Amino acid sequence: MIKIDLDVMMAKRKMSSSTLAEKIGITQANLSILKTNKGKAIRFSTLDALCRALECEPGDILKYEEDNDGAEL
Amino acid sequence: MRRFLILLTNVLLYFVLVLNVAALVAMPFTIDLWVNIFRDSYASSESYRMFILIFLYLAGIGTLLIDIDLIRMMKTLSGDPFVERNVKAFQRMGIVAELTAILFIVKCFIYFTPMTAVCAVVLVFCGLFSLVMTNVFEHAVAYKQENDLTI
C-alpha cells in the first residue's frame, strides 16, 4: 500500500503542522488525516502544494509498503 | 421554502407520533368501537374482538417504530444525513413495513375488508421503497466517505 511520510520532510524543513497546513491551504484536521495515513486518496493539487511547500519530490513523501494481509483494491 | 417543508414534515411526524401513542394506549377502551364498525360484516364475537385487538396493536407498534426512525432521520438533516445510521434506519423501516404488510395480508384472508387490501398494497410498496433507499443510501455513504477522505 502507498503510505505518506510527511514527518521526515517536515523535520528537515523545520516546519510545524499548522504552518504546513496553512501553506498548502488545507485544514489541520485534513493534514492529520494525511499524516496518519487515514486518507483514501490525495489530489494532484494537494501533492503539488506539498512538494512546493516542503521543496521535495513526490517520491520523498510517498512510500510503497508491502501489504501483509493481501492487497485491497 | 426548504426550511418550511422540513418544519412541516417534523410537525406532521410528531403529530402522527402523538396520535399513534394515544391510539395504542387507548386501544383497550376503544376496541369495541372498531369492532362495532364491522358488526354487520362479522359477528362481534369474542374471537373477532381479540383478533382485531392483537392486529391493531401489532400494526400500531409497526407504524410507531417507523415514525420514530423517521423523526431520528429528520434530526440528521441539520448535519450530515449520509451516515451509516440512516442506512440502518431505512433497512429497519423497510423490514417493519413488510412485516406489517404481511399482517394486513393475513387479515385479508381471515376478515376481509377492501381497506385492509389497500393498506397491504401500500405497505408492501412503502417497504420496497425503503429497502431500495437502503441500497441507494449505502452507496451514497460510501461515496461521501471516499470524498471526505480525499485530501
Side-chain angles (χ1 to χ4, degrees):
Chain A
M1 67 182 291
I2 302 291
K3 286 203 167 181
I4 296 181
D5 188 12
L6 290 174
D7 292 329
V8 176
M9 287 311 295
M10 282 169 69
K12 273 186 188 173
R13 304 289 178 242
K14 293 185 176 64
M15 200 178 283
S16 68
S17 290
S18 55
T19 312
L20 182 62
E22 197 180 319
K23 272 194 167 184
I24 62 175
I26 64 171
T27 61
Q28 281 201 59
N30 279 344
L31 184 63
S32 171
I33 290 172
L34 273 182
K35 286 177 75 179
T36 51
N37 283 291
K38 285 179 183 160
K40 290 213 172 194
I42 181 164
R43 290 190 185 90
F44 278 131
S45 56
T46 310
L47 190 59
D48 182 76
L50 274 171
C51 291
R52 195 177 310 124
L54 294 170
E55 294 165 18
C56 64
E57 292 290 317
D60 297 328
I61 49 176
L62 295 175
K63 304 267 183 285
Y64 174 73
E65 277 182 18
E66 198 75 48
D67 239 348
N68 290 332
D69 49 342
E72 263 183 51
L73 291 176
Chain B
M1 186 63 188
R2 192 174 160 269
R3 277 171 183 239
F4 173 73
L5 279 175
I6 290 172
L7 185 73
L8 184 71
T9 313
N10 267 320
V11 168
L12 282 172
L13 283 172
Y14 278 105
F15 177 69
V16 169
L17 181 77
V18 170
L19 216 62
N20 205 329
V21 171
L24 282 173
V25 170
M27 192 73 76
F29 314 105
T30 55
I31 185 67
D32 289 325
L33 182 78
W34 306 117
V35 171
N36 284 336
I37 290 172
F38 300 108
R39 200 192 345 223
D40 295 339
S41 311
Y42 304 106
S44 60
S45 61
E46 188 55 33
S47 62
Y48 177 64
R49 188 179 179 278
M50 191 52 73
F51 176 82
I52 290 293
L53 187 67
I54 294 167
F55 168 78
L56 289 177
Y57 257 121
L58 290 176
I61 290 166
T63 50
L64 187 67
L65 291 174
I66 292 174
D67 198 51
I68 289 169
D69 262 335
L70 286 172
I71 288 171
R72 278 187 187 155
M73 207 181 268
M74 285 300 287
K75 281 183 181 164
T76 63
L77 285 180
S78 55
D80 176 18
F82 297 106
V83 287
E84 198 62 40
R85 202 177 60 182
N86 281 352
V87 176
K88 294 267 182 260
F90 265 123
Q91 192 176 35
R92 235 179 357 251
M93 285 192 295
I95 292 167
V96 170
E98 295 301 347
L99 287 176
T100 315
I102 290 171
L103 194 71
F104 274 78
I105 292 166
V106 168
K107 186 183 176 284
C108 280
F109 285 105
I110 302 172
Y111 297 108
F112 181 81
T113 62
M115 212 49 214
T116 310
V118 171
C119 286
V121 172
V122 169
L123 278 165
V124 165
F125 274 95
C126 283
L128 286 175
F129 174 78
S130 199
L131 291 174
V132 168
M133 286 305 284
T134 304
N135 292 311
V136 173
F137 253 67
E138 206 167 16
H139 275 80
V141 169
Y143 279 129
K144 195 182 175 297
Q145 273 179 353
E146 189 149 329
N147 190 50
D148 284 350
L149 292 174
T150 299
I151 314 296

